[in-house]
Amino acid sequence: MSKRVVVLGPPGAGKGTQCMLLAAARGLLHLSTGDLLRAEVAAGSSLGQQVKAVLDRGDLVSDDLVLAIVRHRLSLHQGGWLLDGFPRNSTQAAMLDDLLADLKQPLQVALQLQVPEEELVARLLSRGRSDDNEAVVRKRLQIYVRQTEPINAHYQGRGLLQCVDGLGSVEEVATRICNSLDECAPSEETMC
Ligand code: B4P
């Protein structure tokens, strides 16, 4: 079974929803950089106030800050994990490679959830978080295409990328993800 997984996909693809289910089913640590950043905002610290302004604009938070959060959590943890929403750009992908080499915890799978844009917009507008208004959602999708999608090639080149169709009910998508992870190596069907 795959234990060290990054979950990739556009905003609203269902990364958080699926990671929560998978982590509970398989006893993995679920590390969502979005949730950790929102927790910082909720704590009301001065760092949290700066983070809130970035989230509300739909921009990405600084690479160094996000890496510090991930490093801290992974270095305290022994078992398997799901990284949800990290890496978000090629700098973060390179930082993660270095971190995992330091920790001797090689990545096993990069799982890409695929959902068409209009479905993403509909999901996010009905979720209604403070950064889910239409202008901000469209901006986050543009940032995804420019900065995050290119890192798929980084993982594809290493034979780690597996693509899963994220359309359908939460349960249907969860079943596809489990099937994909239970195949030890990417099959023709799951290669992107
Ligand atoms: P995230 O918290 O990562 O959130 P997301 O990409 O918007 O959503 P996700 O894909 O997890 O979708 P979800 O399950 O919630 O990022 C938020 C912000 O944090 C970023 O914009 C950025 O500013 C910052 N950030 C995070 N990581 C960062 C990093 N590494 N570097 C810099 N900045 C970073 O699902 C969405 C909705 O769809 C929900 O309402 C859900 O109920 C629904 N849904 C899920 N699955 C469904 C299905 N199968 N059918 C119908 N609806 C479904």
Side-chain angles (χ1 to χ4, degrees):
M1 208 262 310
S2 299
K3 289 190 169 171
R4 292 184 297 274
V5 180
V6 297
V7 181
L8 304 167
K15 302 180 295 289
T17 304
Q18 294 298 331
C19 284
M20 215 162 52
L21 294 173
L22 193 60
R26 304 205 176 190
L28 303 173
L29 171 70
H30 172 198
L31 211 53
S32 157
T33 45
D35 286 350
L36 293 169
L37 293 168
R38 285 185 287 277
E40 197 64 48
V41 173
S45 62
S46 73
L47 176 62
Q49 285 169 19
Q50 293 168 42
V51 167
K52 181 174 184 340
V54 178
L55 296 189
D56 286 349
R57 284 198 308 270
D59 287 328
L60 297 183
V61 172
S62 87
D63 297 331
D64 289 335
L65 172 64
V66 177
L67 182 77
I69 292 175
V70 173
R71 176 184 289 279
H72 176 66
R73 297 294 175 120
L74 284 190
S75 59
L76 295 175
H77 183 74
Q78 294 299 324
W81 40 256
L82 301 168
L83 282 184
D84 163 8
F86 179 86
R88 222 51 174 220
N89 58 32
S90 54
T91 305
Q92 292 184 10
M95 286 170 151
L96 180 62
D97 287 347
D98 292 345
L99 172 61
L100 296 182
D102 268 4
L103 298 177
K104 299 190 174 38
Q105 297 189 26
L107 185 68
Q108 291 169 306
V109 173
L111 188 89
Q112 159 79 15
L113 273 180
Q114 298 185 312
V115 176
E117 176 161 338
E118 287 318 308
E119 169 73 10
L120 296 170
V121 174
R123 286 184 188 181
L124 292 173
L125 294 184
S126 64
R127 180 173 67 180
R129 215 166 59 192
S130 70
D131 56 343
D132 284 340
N133 66 72
E134 181 149 6
V136 169
V137 164
R138 297 270 179 204
K139 179 171 179 190
R140 284 162 54 203
L141 288 168
Q142 280 172 5
I143 291 178
Y144 172 79
V145 170
R146 273 207 307 272
Q147 298 195 34
T148 311
E149 207 166 41
I151 66 178
N152 290 346
H154 178 82
Y155 294 113
Q156 188 149 32
R158 293 162 53 188
L160 296 177
L161 190 68
Q162 295 188 32
C163 291
V164 170
D165 179 3
L167 265 185
S169 70
V170 168
E171 295 72 23
E172 284 165 346
V173 178
T175 303
R176 281 182 214 134
I177 290 175
C178 283
N179 290 341
S180 172
L181 291 181
D182 286 338
E183 292 158 4
C184 297
S187 66
E188 298 249 319
E189 211 171 272
T190 58
M191 293 288 281
C192 305

